[in-house]
PDB file of all heavy atoms in Angstrom:
ATOM      1  N   MET A  10      -5.615  -2.177 -29.740  1.00  0.00           N
ATOM      2  CA  MET A  10      -5.824  -1.411 -28.505  1.00  0.00           C
ATOM      3  C   MET A  10      -6.968  -1.976 -27.673  1.00  0.00           C
ATOM      4  O   MET A  10      -6.943  -1.871 -26.448  1.00  0.00           O
ATOM      5  CB  MET A  10      -6.063   0.068 -28.826  1.00  0.00           C
ATOM      6  CG  MET A  10      -4.808   0.804 -29.272  1.00  0.00           C
ATOM      7  SD  MET A  10      -3.411   0.628 -28.101  1.00  0.00           S
ATOM      8  CE  MET A  10      -4.098   1.408 -26.644  1.00  0.00           C
ATOM      9  N   ILE A  13      -5.375  -4.532 -25.508  1.00  0.00           N
ATOM     10  CA  ILE A  13      -4.567  -3.858 -24.482  1.00  0.00           C
ATOM     11  C   ILE A  13      -5.470  -3.297 -23.385  1.00  0.00           C
ATOM     12  O   ILE A  13      -5.230  -3.496 -22.196  1.00  0.00           O
ATOM     13  CB  ILE A  13      -3.711  -2.722 -25.100  1.00  0.00           C
ATOM     14  CG1 ILE A  13      -2.665  -3.276 -26.062  1.00  0.00           C
ATOM     15  CG2 ILE A  13      -3.090  -1.840 -24.027  1.00  0.00           C
ATOM     16  CD1 ILE A  13      -1.527  -4.006 -25.416  1.00  0.00           C
ATOM     17  N   LEU A  28      -5.761  -4.042  -3.099  1.00  0.00           N
ATOM     18  CA  LEU A  28      -5.776  -2.891  -2.194  1.00  0.00           C
ATOM     19  C   LEU A  28      -6.847  -3.046  -1.119  1.00  0.00           C
ATOM     20  O   LEU A  28      -6.620  -2.679   0.042  1.00  0.00           O
ATOM     21  CB  LEU A  28      -5.971  -1.593  -2.980  1.00  0.00           C
ATOM     22  CG  LEU A  28      -4.774  -1.151  -3.815  1.00  0.00           C
ATOM     23  CD1 LEU A  28      -5.165   0.004  -4.733  1.00  0.00           C
ATOM     24  CD2 LEU A  28      -3.593  -0.772  -2.927  1.00  0.00           C
ATOM     25  N   ILE A  35      -4.896  -3.461   7.358  1.00  0.00           N
ATOM     26  CA  ILE A  35      -4.697  -2.184   8.046  1.00  0.00           C
ATOM     27  C   ILE A  35      -5.726  -2.038   9.160  1.00  0.00           C
ATOM     28  O   ILE A  35      -5.395  -1.621  10.278  1.00  0.00           O
ATOM     29  CB  ILE A  35      -4.793  -1.005   7.041  1.00  0.00           C
ATOM     30  CG1 ILE A  35      -3.656  -1.059   6.022  1.00  0.00           C
ATOM     31  CG2 ILE A  35      -4.844   0.338   7.760  1.00  0.00           C
ATOM     32  CD1 ILE A  35      -2.260  -1.055   6.607  1.00  0.00           C
ATOM     33  N   ALA A  40      -6.786  -2.376  15.195  1.00  0.00           N
ATOM     34  CA  ALA A  40      -7.371  -3.024  16.369  1.00  0.00           C
ATOM     35  C   ALA A  40      -6.284  -3.551  17.302  1.00  0.00           C
ATOM     36  O   ALA A  40      -6.370  -3.402  18.524  1.00  0.00           O
ATOM     37  CB  ALA A  40      -8.303  -4.159  15.934  1.00  0.00           C
ATOM     38  N   LYS A  42      -3.132  -2.485  17.419  1.00  0.00           N
ATOM     39  CA  LYS A  42      -2.408  -1.332  17.960  1.00  0.00           C
ATOM     40  C   LYS A  42      -3.178  -0.674  19.100  1.00  0.00           C
ATOM     41  O   LYS A  42      -2.575  -0.187  20.061  1.00  0.00           O
ATOM     42  CB  LYS A  42      -2.118  -0.315  16.858  1.00  0.00           C
ATOM     43  CG  LYS A  42      -1.027  -0.752  15.908  1.00  0.00           C
ATOM     44  CD  LYS A  42      -0.827   0.274  14.797  1.00  0.00           C
ATOM     45  CE  LYS A  42       0.301  -0.109  13.872  1.00  0.00           C
ATOM     46  NZ  LYS A  42       0.510   0.895  12.811  1.00  0.00           N
ATOM     47  N   ALA A  45      -2.527  -2.696  22.166  1.00  0.00           N
ATOM     48  CA  ALA A  45      -1.116  -2.621  22.554  1.00  0.00           C
ATOM     49  C   ALA A  45      -0.656  -1.188  22.815  1.00  0.00           C
ATOM     50  O   ALA A  45       0.517  -0.978  23.142  1.00  0.00           O
ATOM     51  CB  ALA A  45      -0.248  -3.244  21.460  1.00  0.00           C
ATOM     52  N   SER A  60      11.570   0.365   1.746  1.00  0.00           N
ATOM     53  CA  SER A  60      12.758  -0.343   1.263  1.00  0.00           C
ATOM     54  C   SER A  60      12.371  -1.631   0.536  1.00  0.00           C
ATOM     55  O   SER A  60      12.911  -1.941  -0.542  1.00  0.00           O
ATOM     56  CB  SER A  60      13.688  -0.656   2.436  1.00  0.00           C
ATOM     57  OG  SER A  60      14.806  -1.385   2.001  1.00  0.00           O
ATOM     58  N   ASP A  64      12.984  -2.513  -3.499  1.00  0.00           N
ATOM     59  CA  ASP A  64      13.669  -3.725  -3.955  1.00  0.00           C
ATOM     60  C   ASP A  64      12.820  -4.501  -4.961  1.00  0.00           C
ATOM     61  O   ASP A  64      13.326  -4.977  -5.978  1.00  0.00           O
ATOM     62  CB  ASP A  64      14.036  -4.625  -2.771  1.00  0.00           C
ATOM     63  CG  ASP A  64      15.125  -4.049  -1.891  1.00  0.00           C
ATOM     64  OD1 ASP A  64      15.818  -3.092  -2.304  1.00  0.00           O
ATOM     65  OD2 ASP A  64      15.287  -4.562  -0.758  1.00  0.00           O
ATOM     66  N   HIS A  69      11.698  -6.015 -10.729  1.00  0.00           N
ATOM     67  CA  HIS A  69      10.728  -6.152 -11.824  1.00  0.00           C
ATOM     68  C   HIS A  69      10.906  -5.096 -12.905  1.00  0.00           C
ATOM     69  O   HIS A  69      10.032  -4.949 -13.773  1.00  0.00           O
ATOM     70  CB  HIS A  69       9.304  -6.114 -11.276  1.00  0.00           C
ATOM     71  CG  HIS A  69       8.966  -7.333 -10.475  1.00  0.00           C
ATOM     72  ND1 HIS A  69       8.638  -8.534 -11.052  1.00  0.00           N
ATOM     73  CD2 HIS A  69       8.942  -7.539  -9.138  1.00  0.00           C
ATOM     74  CE1 HIS A  69       8.422  -9.428 -10.106  1.00  0.00           C
ATOM     75  NE2 HIS A  69       8.601  -8.847  -8.938  1.00  0.00           N
ATOM     76  N   GLU A  77       8.261   4.074  -4.797  1.00  0.00           N
ATOM     77  CA  GLU A  77       8.350   4.675  -3.458  1.00  0.00           C
ATOM     78  C   GLU A  77       7.322   5.793  -3.303  1.00  0.00           C
ATOM     79  O   GLU A  77       6.639   5.872  -2.273  1.00  0.00           O
ATOM     80  CB  GLU A  77       9.746   5.219  -3.197  1.00  0.00           C
ATOM     81  CG  GLU A  77       9.843   5.904  -1.839  1.00  0.00           C
ATOM     82  CD  GLU A  77      11.220   6.412  -1.469  1.00  0.00           C
ATOM     83  OE1 GLU A  77      12.218   6.021  -2.113  1.00  0.00           O
ATOM     84  OE2 GLU A  77      11.306   7.198  -0.513  1.00  0.00           O
ATOM     85  N   ARG A 101      -2.922  10.867  21.363  1.00  0.00           N
ATOM     86  CA  ARG A 101      -2.858   9.642  22.167  1.00  0.00           C
ATOM     87  C   ARG A 101      -1.957   9.874  23.367  1.00  0.00           C
ATOM     88  O   ARG A 101      -0.865  10.372  23.262  1.00  0.00           O
ATOM     89  CB  ARG A 101      -2.349   8.477  21.322  1.00  0.00           C
ATOM     90  CG  ARG A 101      -3.288   8.291  20.131  1.00  0.00           C
ATOM     91  CD  ARG A 101      -3.508   6.954  19.598  1.00  0.00           C
ATOM     92  NE  ARG A 101      -3.575   5.909  20.555  1.00  0.00           N
ATOM     93  CZ  ARG A 101      -2.958   4.750  20.387  1.00  0.00           C
ATOM     94  NH1 ARG A 101      -2.235   4.529  19.326  1.00  0.00           N
ATOM     95  NH2 ARG A 101      -3.071   3.808  21.284  1.00  0.00           N
ATOM     96  N   ARG A 105       2.670  11.220  24.405  1.00  0.00           N
ATOM     97  CA  ARG A 105       3.101  12.491  25.021  1.00  0.00           C
ATOM     98  C   ARG A 105       4.320  12.314  25.866  1.00  0.00           C
ATOM     99  O   ARG A 105       4.707  11.348  26.339  1.00  0.00           O
ATOM    100  CB  ARG A 105       1.967  13.057  25.861  1.00  0.00           C
ATOM    101  CG  ARG A 105       0.819  13.488  24.971  1.00  0.00           C
ATOM    102  CD  ARG A 105      -0.270  14.140  25.751  1.00  0.00           C
ATOM    103  NE  ARG A 105      -1.341  14.391  24.788  1.00  0.00           N
ATOM    104  CZ  ARG A 105      -2.596  14.400  25.121  1.00  0.00           C
ATOM    105  NH1 ARG A 105      -2.981  14.237  26.334  1.00  0.00           N
ATOM    106  NH2 ARG A 105      -3.492  14.618  24.218  1.00  0.00           N
TER     107      ARG A 105
END
Side-chain angles (χ1 to χ4, degrees):
M10 287 307 298
I13 295 288
L28 289 170
I35 295 303
K42 286 177 177 181
S60 178
D64 291 345
H69 291 282
E77 177 177 345
R101 301 213 38 224
R105 292 184 185 150

